[in-house]
Amino acid sequence: CAFAILLLFLTSYAIEEDKRLKLEDFAVDVATESGEFVYTIKWWEQEAVESTQYYITLPYHARDKEVRANFQCDNAVFFDGVEIENGSVLAPLQEGNHVISCAKKIYNLYVFYGSDIPTLHIATESGSLKYLKQDRDNRELGHISIVYQDELIYRDVLEYIKGRGNYTWTYNKKPFNLKFLEKVDLFGMGESDKWCLLANSMDGTMLKNKLGYEFADKVGLDFSSQAMLVDVYINNEYMGNYTLSETVEVGENRVDIVDLEALNAEANAGVDIREFTQSGTRGKNSYLEYGSAKWIDIPNNPVDFTGGYLLEFELASRYDKELCGFISNYGQPVVIKSPEYASCAEVEYIRDYYQAFEDAVMDETGYNAQGKHYSDYVDVTSIAKMYVYQEFIKNLDGAATSLFFYKNPGEKIVAGPVWDVDLGFGYPVERDGVQMDDPGTLWITGGHLSNELSDKYSVFSLLCQHEDFINEAKRQWKNCFEPNIPGLLKEVDRLYENTSASIVSDKCKWTVKGNHNVAVDKVDSAILKLKIFIKERSEFLSEHFQEDK
């Protein structure tokens, strides 16, 4: 027995001794110009790939400055043949290949530098992403520091960081939502305490969401989200290039309409409306109950609840997970994003309002049984503009999900803001017999609600049956879209020139297993395809939307 214990001790000691003799972790410490913020960046390796090849991605501002080695090892460590200690200065650390050796083991290190864009350094309370990755809705406290052009521009505690997205959440590179303790204005995008980090995992260019939001603003789609390309580090680990974006929410610097959520709280002062019972038609198959609705049993309503509403057309399969909404008589799932906790009266009001619009659209005359035209319910200019926008970028989800509308008190429904367009601009997939990267075919014009309701055409398709709507779409294309195409192409070039290094590093981490040359070729090719798609798509639609002479 004593021999067994001694053997176990010696074995454990040998394992610990072996660990201390190996270079288990390597990182560098970087300081901002003022020295007020020092942060650590670890090396990384490809997941599930056993090799001695490692990578490290450093911010642009660290190119020509001192960085310090950060490691623990009881054996001698050599960097490019020179023995170093923990804390040794490595400067300048050149981009490209380096060799680290320790105890006769060779570690190949490739150094990347990002682009001249902000870097977000986030630390979770646990020091890990394990809990957050277990479930998209898991939340964790954190801390955030933002560095831009060698200066610490923001630093504070995060109320939480959590996952976000639907299909994008299934990718290894995770998108996140950030909740700050107080409202903050980041890069002139307006104060808010909620921000998104979009991973763009399905976008070979990494630019489509930012490009799409900017272009939507150019053509006059109100409240289009502002965005900034950033590099993200979480718990000292490089996570890649992200789009820091405004969220789609009601607010002074977001969708600036009457805040019905706040009015509900005022009408029910002293109670938490989130604690009231959920009622209405719910469940996994509730989307099949045409004309149904679901709400919260809030006792008191504001005097005027004809607005403001923020609505989203959603996939049928996702409808049951939302708190409040309705299914139109035609089968369109509509989620009420704000007020998130809507009363029965509010849900019934906006359902009946939308239904009157839908009834008019469904009739070949454009009028419903009450003798009202569909234009009595919606701002036709904005709806036509949204239709043309989604058709131009040929957005895979453009008629089915992430399609927002808003309504102020006493006013009509307006289309916007644009959201989630990374599956546009020539996404290489086939859907319903249409090749999405073919610039010469229509998509939104004949689009459906969702896969679950594939026999149901979208509201855009139904509106296209009306000559007056098509004429408005033609005017929008000629007056708002055509003049802005040259600027869009220039913006592709500008953004790529300013962010290419960061995008290539991201692709090396998540897509091409660290092969720098392959990553460069892939991104260059994706950018070229994007520009060709924009050019040829605009030529096709200029012909399609040609006004009658």
Side-chain angles (χ1 to χ4, degrees):
C1 181
F3 175 76
I5 293 174
L6 177 61
L7 181 62
L8 178 62
F9 171 78
L10 291 175
T11 302
S12 300
Y13 178 80
I15 292 173
E16 289 301 315
E17 186 70 14
D18 184 54
K19 283 185 177 180
R20 288 187 289 113
L21 290 175
K22 288 183 178 179
L23 189 62
E24 295 290 337
D25 294 297
F26 182 84
V28 298
D29 294 333
V30 185
T32 56
E33 185 67 27
S34 65
E36 65 177 316
F37 180 51
V38 180
Y39 53 92
T40 300
I41 297 177
K42 300 177 183 178
W43 67 3
W44 50 273
E45 57 185 325
Q46 290 294 325
E47 292 185 14
V49 177
E50 292 185 10
S51 78
T52 58
Q53 180 65 59
Y54 290 81
Y55 310 86
I56 194 165
T57 301
L58 300 177
Y60 178 87
H61 72 85
R63 278 180 174 273
D64 298 315
K65 66 165 44 182
E66 290 185 353
V67 298
R68 296 186 178 274
N70 186 322
F71 61 88
Q72 295 294 327
C73 184
D74 286 351
N75 220 2
V77 176
F78 296 83
F79 192 94
D80 288 342
V82 178
E83 185 173 359
I84 60 173
E85 298 178 348
N86 184 40
S88 292
V89 173
L90 304 175
L93 190 53
Q94 298 296 324
E95 188 167 33
N97 290 303
H98 299 269
V99 176
I100 304 175
S101 58
C102 174
K104 298 182 180 181
K105 186 171 182 180
I106 302 297
Y107 302 86
N108 299 296
L109 178 67
Y110 192 97
V111 175
F112 292 100
Y113 280 96
S115 303
D116 189 13
I117 58 177
T119 56
L120 273 61
H121 303 266
I122 299 171
T124 62
E125 186 179 39
S126 66
S128 166
L129 284 175
K130 183 178 179 180
Y131 175 68
L132 292 177
K133 288 182 176 180
Q134 287 175 352
D135 190 286
R136 182 188 64 182
D137 294 323
N138 286 351
R139 300 181 177 188
E140 189 169 350
L141 296 173
H143 194 284
I144 185 169
S145 302
I146 302 177
V147 177
Y148 186 38
Q149 296 181 339
D150 218 2
E151 293 184 12
L152 178 66
I153 64 170
Y154 183 82
R155 192 176 192 184
D156 209 342
V157 175
L158 287 174
E159 183 175 325
Y160 64 76
I161 175 175
K162 67 177 292 292
R164 61 156 289 106
N166 291 293
Y167 188 67
T168 53
W169 178 249
T170 66
Y171 280 71
N172 288 332
K173 183 187 178 187
K174 303 297 186 186
F176 297 100
N177 280 337
L178 305 178
K179 177 69 161 59
F180 290 67
L181 288 178
E182 58 184 21
K183 292 183 178 182
V184 58
D185 183 356
L186 299 180
F187 308 107
M189 291 188 279
E191 287 191 344
S192 180
D193 57 357
K194 296 176 183 176
W195 297 85
C196 295
L197 284 174
L198 307 176
N200 303 312
S201 297
M202 294 178 283
D203 177 7
T205 71
M206 311 292 291
L207 304 179
K208 291 179 180 179
N209 273 318
K210 179 169 174 57
L211 279 170
Y213 299 160
E214 288 182 351
F215 187 67
D217 185 62
K218 287 285 187 183
V219 299
L221 284 163
D222 291 342
F223 307 130
S224 299
S225 296
Q226 299 181 79
M228 187 86 170
L229 294 173
V230 298
D231 279 328
V232 175
Y233 298 83
I234 301 182
N235 299 322
N236 303 327
E237 296 183 16
Y238 172 68
M239 300 303 294
N241 178 275
Y242 281 74
T243 299
L244 174 68
S245 171
E246 298 177 314
T247 57
V248 178
E249 61 177 326
V250 172
E252 183 179 356
N253 296 305
R254 297 297 183 259
V255 181
D256 192 8
I257 61 174
V258 168
D259 189 347
L260 189 51
E261 188 90 62
L263 295 180
N264 281 346
E266 291 178 11
N268 296 274
V271 297
D272 187 347
I273 60 177
R274 295 172 298 180
E275 300 298 323
F276 289 114
T277 305
Q278 300 177 15
S279 295
T281 304
R282 299 179 178 271
K284 187 175 182 179
N285 294 319
S286 57
Y287 70 88
L288 296 174
E289 299 293 330
Y290 295 179
S292 66
K294 53 183 178 179
W295 59 87
I296 306 298
D297 285 328
I298 300 173
N300 302 315
N301 292 294
V303 174
D304 183 0
F305 51 84
T306 61
Y309 294 93
L310 179 62
L311 311 174
E312 180 186 10
F313 285 9
E314 186 55 283
L315 297 180
S317 58
R318 298 176 187 166
Y319 175 76
D320 71 294
K321 299 175 183 177
E322 302 288 346
L323 275 179
C324 299
F326 59 89
I327 307 295
S328 75
N329 291 342
Y330 178 66
Q332 173 67 62
V334 180
V335 173
I336 301 175
K337 303 301 289 188
S338 184
E340 183 180 9
Y341 296 83
S343 70
C344 179
E346 290 166 343
V347 174
E348 287 182 345
Y349 167 78
I350 195 63
R351 177 193 62 184
D352 293 346
Y353 187 95
Y354 177 81
Q355 192 57 60
F357 159 71
E358 183 180 86
D359 290 346
V361 173
M362 294 288 291
D363 193 283
E364 63 180 12
T365 67
Y367 289 85
N368 59 25
Q370 289 74 44
K372 288 191 174 184
H373 193 256
Y374 66 81
S375 60
D376 291 324
Y377 301 94
V378 299
D379 180 84
V380 176
T381 297
S382 75
I383 303 292
K385 192 170 291 185
M386 180 65 79
Y387 154 67
V388 173
Y389 176 90
Q390 298 291 347
E391 187 65 272
F392 167 61
I393 70 170
K394 209 174 185 181
N395 187 6
L396 183 66
D397 290 338
T401 182
S402 298
L403 186 62
F404 287 92
F405 302 86
Y406 61 88
K407 184 185 182 304
N408 252 324
E411 298 179 8
K412 299 177 182 179
I413 288 176
V414 182
V418 164
W419 183 249
D420 196 13
V421 297
D422 57 326
L423 297 185
F425 293 104
Y427 185 63
V429 71
E430 182 270 339
R431 175 73 62 83
D432 294 344
V434 177
Q435 192 63 36
M436 303 309 296
D437 56 355
D438 178 1
T441 55
L442 297 172
W443 167 243
I444 301 297
T445 304
H448 295 82
L449 300 187
S450 65
N451 288 343
E452 300 90 343
L453 300 167
S454 58
D455 62 328
K456 299 286 186 178
Y457 287 97
S458 74
V459 67
F460 291 139
S461 301
L462 299 173
L463 281 165
C464 284
Q465 307 306 310
H466 297 282
E467 185 177 1
D468 53 354
F469 180 80
I470 289 296
N471 288 336
E472 182 60 33
K474 290 177 179 179
R475 283 191 290 271
Q476 292 303 315
W477 174 258
K478 181 177 180 179
N479 296 333
C480 299
F481 286 80
E482 275 189 333
N484 282 297
I485 299 301
L488 177 60
L489 288 168
K490 289 180 181 178
E491 184 66 3
V492 174
D493 289 334
R494 187 193 70 81
L495 277 178
Y496 186 45
E497 181 181 355
N498 292 343
T499 59
S500 58
S502 176
I503 295 170
V504 166
S505 178
D506 181 284
K507 295 303 180 185
C508 284
K509 179 174 178 69
W510 297 108
T511 307
V512 297
K513 302 187 187 311
N515 193 317
H516 180 268
N517 291 333
V518 172
V520 170
D521 290 344
K522 278 186 171 292
V523 178
D524 283 348
S525 176
I527 294 294
L528 179 59
K529 289 178 180 177
L530 171 61
K531 293 176 65 177
I532 291 173
F533 179 87
I534 291 172
K535 182 176 181 296
E536 294 186 355
R537 187 68 172 166
S538 63
E539 292 171 351
F540 168 74
L541 289 181
S542 289
E543 180 68 24
H544 175 71
F545 286 129
Q546 187 173 22
E547 291 189 278
D548 297 331
K549 296 181 180 179

